[in-house]
Amino acid sequence: LAKTTQPISMDSYEGQEVNITCSHNNIATNDYITWYQQFPSQGPRFIIQGYKTKVTNEVASLFIPADRKSSTLSLPRVSLSDTAVYYCLVGDGTFNKFYFGSGTKLNVKP
Amino acid sequence: SAVISQKPSRDICQRGTSLTIQCQVDSQVTMMFWYRQQPGQSLTLIATANQGSEATYESGFVIDKFPISRPNLTFSTLTVSNMSPEDSSIYLCSVEEPISYNEQFFGPGTRLTVL
């Protein structure tokens, strides 16, 4: 299974765009890239998923370069409520198993 | 999306005892998963529980320590046996709905403290 590497923490201010990059050099052909958000005392929550190029939904965008060895989660105009840990996961879903990396703790300041 | 509840939400237990955690889903799902999250750490997959078959455990986790039941498509239990303080953690269950791909829905977790 592909291992992921993310920054341990990031700081931002309200209203800014935040980009969190995840490295997954050993990603396999069939692997998808999925991002989860976790608030304290809650289970992780699905944010976005992609295979290549760009995916956008109502909360975030996911940018995946052609070699797929990395991906960037983009959160537009963050607010204090976006303070959370963000996990990047890579897998093909064949065995439906998720292996979480260390995650990135995002701290949004007023 | 599936709504998942867990019981208890938290508990404080004595060393050497066992605790059974319940996970209830509001829809029928094939795949259910149990994770452990130690304070300030990431999630670690314990096992996969499919209805009608034995649970599949990840490396480092054994059935004697973490027996799992999956009696139907909406319910599962995880037992933490013969507990020690090292078992203090948050235990979460998750499910994957049949129509979703690579998307899991997580319960709120059970916070366990072992004295």
Side-chain angles (χ1 to χ4, degrees):
Chain A
L1 288 164
K3 179 181 177 181
T4 60
T5 303
Q6 305 173 231
I8 294 175
S9 65
M10 294 181 66
D11 288 332
S12 181
Y13 291 92
E14 282 190 293
Q16 289 187 332
E17 178 185 74
V18 171
N19 296 308
I20 305 174
T21 298
C22 178
S23 172
H24 29 80
N25 292 319
N26 296 323
I27 189 169
T29 302
N30 296 330
D31 286 345
Y32 279 71
I33 301 157
T34 311
W35 285 79
Y36 279 77
Q37 174 191 56
Q38 186 178 28
F39 297 113
S41 301
Q42 295 185 24
R45 182 176 71 101
F46 173 92
I47 301 176
I48 197 167
Q49 181 182 92
Y51 183 80
K52 62 180 179 180
T53 62
K54 177 184 175 181
V55 179
T56 298
N57 62 22
E58 63 275 9
V59 298
S61 295
L62 179 60
F63 299 91
I64 305 168
D67 66 5
R68 304 200 325 121
K69 294 183 182 298
S70 66
S71 60
T72 299
L73 174 72
S74 180
L75 303 172
R77 297 180 297 281
V78 295
S79 63
L80 295 176
S81 62
D82 292 316
T83 294
V85 178
Y86 292 82
Y87 293 99
C88 162
L89 291 82
V90 173
D92 64 2
T94 300
F95 301 106
N96 305 99
K97 296 182 179 181
F98 279 12
Y99 297 95
F100 284 76
S102 58
T104 298
K105 186 173 183 180
L106 174 65
N107 183 31
V108 180
K109 303 175 183 179
Chain B
S1 62
V3 177
I4 304 163
S5 59
Q6 288 186 231
K7 289 182 180 180
S9 59
R10 58 178 61 218
D11 207 342
I12 300 174
C13 301
Q14 296 296 320
R15 181 195 300 261
T17 63
S18 298
L19 176 71
T20 295
I21 301 168
Q22 299 179 8
C23 179
Q24 180 75 52
V25 190
D26 68 343
S27 59
Q28 294 186 339
V29 295
T30 302
M31 309 291 292
M32 295 184 78
F33 307 87
W34 287 97
Y35 291 83
R36 180 173 72 183
Q37 186 171 31
Q38 295 179 312
Q41 302 297 313
S42 182
L43 288 81
T44 300
L45 180 63
I46 298 173
T48 303
N50 293 339
Q51 194 270 336
S53 63
E54 294 288 325
T56 303
Y57 290 83
E58 296 298 305
S59 176
F61 298 95
V62 295
I63 188 172
D64 290 344
K65 176 67 175 178
F66 298 100
I68 289 171
S69 76
R70 182 78 202 275
N72 56 52
L73 292 174
T74 63
F75 188 78
S76 178
T77 67
L78 169 76
T79 298
V80 186
S81 303
N82 189 25
M83 289 183 286
S84 66
E86 292 72 35
D87 294 320
S88 296
S89 190
I90 298 172
Y91 293 84
L92 302 103
C93 70
S94 74
V95 304
E96 181 174 291
E97 291 188 302
I99 62 172
S100 65
Y101 182 78
N102 258 345
E103 179 178 349
Q104 291 189 5
F105 300 92
F106 286 81
T110 295
R111 183 179 294 272
L112 170 63
T113 301
V114 184
L115 303 178

